[in-house]
Amino acid sequence: MTRLAEVRAATARAGLGALLLTPGPDLRYVTGYDAMPLERLTCLVVPAAGEPFLMVPRLELPAAEHSPAVRLGIEFVAWDETDDPYEAVAGRLGAVERVGLADRMWAMQSLRFRAVMPGAEQVLAGSVLRELRMRKTPAEKAALAEAGAAIDAVHGLVPGLLKAGRTEREVGRDIAEAIIDAGHTRVDFVIVASGPNGASPHHELSDRVIQSGEPVVVDIGGTMPSGYCSDSTRVYCVGDPPAEFAAYYEVLKNAQEAACAHVRPGVTCESVDAAAREVIAEAGYGDRFVHRTGHGIGLETHEEPYIVSGNTEPMEPGFAFSVEPGIYLPGEHGARIEDILICGETAGERLNNTTRDLVIV
């Protein structure tokens, strides 16, 4: 109820007539309802003035009534197959000048809303919700900590799965099973990047056979029953690593540590990125660090704030984000170390606690 009231107030402050939130992270954030995305419209309508209501297909009404949204005490407006729910929303809202659409709303839905409210400017609901979603509450912090512990447990199993002669896909299949066994409801991604594939930050699982003496980048994450996400990267080596790799891995470890140590309220997001980037550049690998240092995390694996040059937003207590610098040598190997952090009152708190040393298996 508090969150819904905050969203209504933020909608009014932004000069919007209403927020229109279809299935996705925005709807789940406001109501707790993890609605199924369908061509049939499910939409939470949050007017700046007036009472919120949930427009829901009649066949989805039982699911909505068994979701956390029922505790909000808002009206559920069920519509039948022969109804036009877009016209119904427009009729209830009346004339509005601006509406905020869920950032993940399907284009077919936004166009239908434009057709029934031709005089209303459409903006992203994220412009209203970002300030709320970036500052994690104690309950959200606890959910992210639970997710961090669950993915740490999976990394604890990885050394027993990595063996010369196995393929990336075979190892990835075992890791995916372990992610579910660790308490996640969904596997969001599994990256097992061996040898030269480690130089591709978002490498897809392949049938490449892992060789002795090769580094392997393992980046994994999933979604917990709470809806909050995990994401952590560690690097392993099957046998003794190449000398050059071992040398720049230490650089990378120092860079990740520097960025984590820099986190505290008031420093800018881009300064955290710079803290990692400077260490890597000084060691001569600046052009091998090809992505931002991090991304926000919560109900989405990637959300605001982004830890990147040009983002001058100051850190605030409750911000949750990754710190994941990388060094990549195309055709040879690569490495990335990633932890999720929450900005506390005086410093950053890591939510991933497995070793950041290179693990030899």
Side-chain angles (χ1 to χ4, degrees):
M1 291 298 295
T2 300
R3 185 173 291 178
L4 182 58
E6 290 173 343
V7 170
R8 292 178 66 186
T11 301
R13 286 195 304 272
L16 301 180
L19 286 189
L20 306 177
L21 305 182
T22 46
D26 288 337
L27 177 63
R28 188 165 189 177
Y29 176 79
V30 179
T31 68
Y33 181 25
D34 188 20
M36 185 181 298
L38 299 167
E39 74 282 1
R40 297 180 177 93
L41 180 70
T42 294
C43 183
L44 175 71
V45 181
V46 185
E51 294 301 316
F53 60 93
L54 182 70
M55 185 68 63
V56 59
R58 189 168 299 281
L59 79 168
E60 294 298 317
L61 184 59
E65 291 177 334
H66 284 86
S67 79
V70 77
R71 298 198 296 264
L72 298 177
I74 61 176
E75 181 185 3
F76 287 11
V77 181
W79 60 274
D80 296 306
E81 297 285 6
T82 56
D83 296 335
D84 185 335
Y86 299 91
E87 288 283 4
V89 170
R92 279 179 165 247
L93 280 180
V96 290
E97 295 183 359
R98 301 175 74 223
V99 293
L101 306 185
D103 289 13
R104 298 292 182 89
M105 183 181 287
W106 292 356
M108 60 175 280
Q109 295 168 334
S110 68
L111 291 173
R112 288 288 302 277
F113 276 124
R114 177 166 291 172
V116 297
M117 293 185 282
E121 177 189 1
Q122 294 182 345
V123 301
L124 290 176
S127 62
V128 174
L129 297 177
R130 69 181 300 275
E131 298 295 327
L132 299 174
R133 287 186 58 183
M134 280 198 303
R135 299 179 184 87
K136 270 48 180 188
T137 65
E140 289 179 291
K141 294 176 189 177
L144 285 167
E146 181 185 31
I151 209 66
D152 280 357
V154 179
H155 270 296
L157 300 174
V158 169
L161 304 176
L162 283 173
K163 292 180 175 61
R166 299 198 77 194
T167 67
E168 294 174 347
R169 197 178 310 280
E170 288 170 341
V171 174
R173 188 180 304 119
D174 290 344
I175 290 175
E177 182 177 339
I179 289 173
I180 298 299
D181 290 345
H184 297 80
T185 57
R186 185 176 71 229
V187 178
D188 292 332
F189 55 91
V190 175
I191 295 173
V192 179
S194 62
N197 290 340
S200 174
H202 284 172
H203 171 67
E204 296 284 341
L205 292 174
S206 76
D207 291 320
R208 185 182 187 277
V209 176
I210 299 168
Q211 305 294 319
S212 180
E214 287 186 336
V216 184
V217 180
V218 177
D219 184 353
I220 53 179
T223 300
M224 298 291 286
S226 63
Y228 285 80
C229 300
S230 65
D231 187 3
S232 180
T233 308
R234 294 293 187 260
V235 184
Y236 305 84
C237 194
V238 182
D240 293 332
E244 182 184 15
F245 177 86
Y248 77 68
Y249 186 84
E250 286 302 309
V251 172
L252 180 64
K253 185 180 171 185
N254 291 337
Q256 206 258 358
E257 180 62 35
C260 291
H262 183 74
V263 173
R264 59 187 181 277
V267 304
T268 62
C269 292
E270 69 174 0
S271 72
V272 178
D273 177 89
R277 205 165 294 278
E278 287 168 7
V279 174
I280 293 172
E282 286 175 5
Y285 293 98
D287 61 341
R288 303 303 190 185
F289 180 11
V290 296
H291 54 73
R292 64 194 174 208
T293 292
H295 55 80
I297 190 168
L299 289 171
E300 298 174 270
T301 306
H302 287 194
E303 60 183 48
E304 294 193 72
Y306 292 101
I307 313 304
V308 65
S309 177
N311 185 359
T312 59
E313 185 146 28
M315 286 274 166
E316 295 185 30
F319 280 16
F321 50 91
S322 69
V323 174
E324 50 177 308
I327 296 175
Y328 309 97
L329 275 62
E332 298 181 48
H333 32 61
R336 181 170 62 259
I337 304 171
E338 177 184 19
D339 291 321
I340 301 303
L341 277 75
I342 290 182
C343 182
E345 296 297 327
T346 59
E349 174 190 354
R350 278 186 169 109
L351 299 186
N352 299 109
N353 295 296
T354 57
T355 182
R356 283 162 280 279
D357 293 336
L358 178 63
V359 176
I360 309 298
V361 299

